[in-house]
Amino acid sequence: QVQVEESGGGLVQAGGSLRLSCTASGESDDYSVMGWFRQIPGKKREGVALATRGGTDTICIASVKGRFTISRDNTKNTVYLQMNNLEPEDTAMYYCAAGRIHNCGSSAFKSWGQGTQVTVSS
């Protein structure tokens, strides 16, 4: 079983930056793909960005392109989400996920972290 642990959320003013980190442990084949998702209460969980062990990065949401960057350090089994120029609309619970399928849909992932809150004030 894969364990996933996130860190790095917090409160920031609009225009500010945050970096989220997520480390996976367990069977390495089960976290060949790692990604970030976000969810607002009452809304569906949506994919934000994915990173594969082989070096393929995907931004899943058009509204974060040019502002968010995902990166991965395979030596540390860690994926990062650098979020710049944050907007109030980015406020959400951010979850890290690990799996084998390169797909922005949440159903593609079986292992999830507890989530870290990101709040952007206007």
Side-chain angles (χ1 to χ4, degrees), residues 3-5 22-26 28 31 34 53 72-80 96:
Q3 286 76 49
V4 178
E5 186 171 353
C22 171
T23 300
S25 59
S28 63
Y31 52 90
M34 295 178 69
R53 183 175 287 128
R72 178 168 177 157
D73 185 341
N74 289 329
T75 66
K76 298 179 180 179
N77 300 327
T78 298
V79 64
Y80 305 95
C96 182

Side-chain angles (χ1 to χ4, degrees), residues 4 33 44 46 48 53 61 65 68 77 87 93 117:
V4 178
V33 182
K44 187 176 72 169
E46 62 178 354
V48 177
R53 183 175 287 128
I61 306 175
K65 285 183 179 179
F68 290 13
N77 300 327
E87 302 171 354
M93 185 70 79
Q117 178 68 36

